[in-house]
Amino acid sequence: MPSQNHFDAIALLKADRKVEVLFAQFEAAKGAAKKQALVQSICTELSAHTVIEEEIFYPACRGKVEEGLLNEGYVEHDGSKVLIAELIASAPNEEFYDAKVKVLSELIEHHVHEEEKRSEGIFSQARAAGIDMNALGECLLARKEAILAEYKAGGIPAPETRTFTGHTLEQGKPADNEAPV
Ligand SMILES: [Fe+2]
């Protein structure tokens, strides 16, 4: 019988879907303080999810899960990190804040589908490959607890991308925001 510390890796990662509830609460939220608190929780959960998957779960899947699917997982994570970084650095009264939260929720919805898709998804392929999910689950859980403690003490750090490299982007505004001449 597994010890109390054993936790299936996939069950642990699937539990990260609790962000879907937070996104729904954000849609219904009115006040700035409530919105900011929800975004803080969303960014905490998603940042921890990307770190533990990229440090532990995805490397364990390499060579066992379809390469293209795994690479898409990394790129989807990096896409979400851009929005997470934006949201951490902004406030609910700022323009496009709600839109950034909405687009982040849609990106995550797609990512969850790619990971959890029945028989073809990353999790199904990893399970079918015979990866020891209990051993992996223990590593994921320990790392997640350490990360959450770090975030609590020092805030959410700037996300580290794994696939987006070397771009300097010009920052502008939508043309419809400019006053007519
Ligand atoms: Fe993921």
Side-chain angles (χ1 to χ4, degrees), residues 11-89:
L12 186 133
L13 293 171
K14 280 187 174 178
D16 287 342
R17 287 187 72 164
K18 61 175 162 284
V19 287
E20 290 171 1
V21 176
L22 298 172
F23 278 124
Q25 288 174 351
F26 181 90
E27 288 222 5
K30 294 280 183 281
K34 176 76 180 163
K35 283 185 173 188
Q36 193 145 31
L38 285 165
V39 164
Q40 182 74 17
S41 299
I42 288 167
C43 292
T44 298
E45 290 298 327
L46 291 178
S47 293
H49 168 90
T50 59
V51 171
I52 63 173
E53 275 198 333
E54 291 168 9
E55 286 183 358
I56 300 164
F57 189 75
Y58 284 0
C61 291
R62 190 60 84 184
K64 299 183 172 73
V65 168
E66 200 182 321
E67 190 183 11
L69 195 59
L70 210 47
N71 290 346
E72 283 172 37
Y74 276 108
V75 174
E76 285 161 9
H77 277 187
D78 278 0
S80 73
K81 289 169 199 170
V82 174
L83 287 165
I84 289 167
E86 284 279 321
L87 289 167
I88 291 171

Side-chain angles (χ1 to χ4, degrees), residues 86 94-97 99-100 170-180:
E86 284 279 321
E94 287 177 41
E95 207 177 9
F96 303 117
Y97 188 86
K100 286 170 186 171
E170 286 294 327
Q171 296 189 7
K173 287 181 177 175
D176 56 6
N177 271 16
E178 288 168 12

